[in-house]
Amino acid sequence: MKLTRGFVFLKKRFSYGEGGRVVVRPCRSSVTRQRRKLKRQAALVAKGVMTVEQVNQSHQPWRGSMKRLNAHDTVLRMDALYKELFGNEYPPPGAEILTLRRLKLAA
């Protein structure tokens, strides 16, 4: 296999960028899976099985892992879907930091 085509390893897509730099991006299946998961969770919130806080706790770790990769646009599109599904319940930027602070204060 030629390395210039790129390859997927551990749910990350490795390829060459400008000047021979290695670019690490999320694989498509991970993004698609998260999008479907958010839609399923929106249906569970509508039924009353889950709360929006539980959905947020589920979404924030995925969001953080994507921010570490070269996936800024992917995070923005997923945030737009989250806002579309949950409306006013959208977490503000840095919500994961606030959640960690609350956990530390509760301990």
Side-chain angles (χ1 to χ4, degrees), residues 6-24:
F7 59 95
V8 176
F9 179 68
L10 295 177
K11 296 293 180 187
K12 295 178 179 107
R13 180 148 189 84
F14 293 86
S15 61
Y16 285 127
E18 295 293 320
R21 189 183 83 127
V22 176
V23 178
V24 184

Side-chain angles (χ1 to χ4, degrees), residues 62-63 71-82 90:
W62 181 88
R63 189 176 184 273
H72 180 73
D73 292 337
T74 302
V75 171
L76 291 179
R77 283 192 299 271
M78 198 64 72
D79 287 348
L81 175 64
Y82 190 102
Y90 181 70

Side-chain angles (χ1 to χ4, degrees), residues 61-98:
W62 181 88
R63 189 176 184 273
S65 66
M66 291 300 117
K67 286 174 75 173
R68 275 186 265 120
L69 299 175
N70 200 2
H72 180 73
D73 292 337
T74 302
V75 171
L76 291 179
R77 283 192 299 271
M78 198 64 72
D79 287 348
L81 175 64
Y82 190 102
K83 191 171 185 178
E84 178 185 322
L85 293 174
F86 300 105
N88 294 333
E89 308 290 337
Y90 181 70
E96 61 272 5
I97 296 170
L98 295 174

Side-chain angles (χ1 to χ4, degrees), residues 45-57:
V45 168
K47 289 181 183 178
V49 176
M50 281 183 87
T51 64
V52 177
E53 291 82 20
Q54 290 172 328
V55 174
N56 188 26
Q57 288 175 352

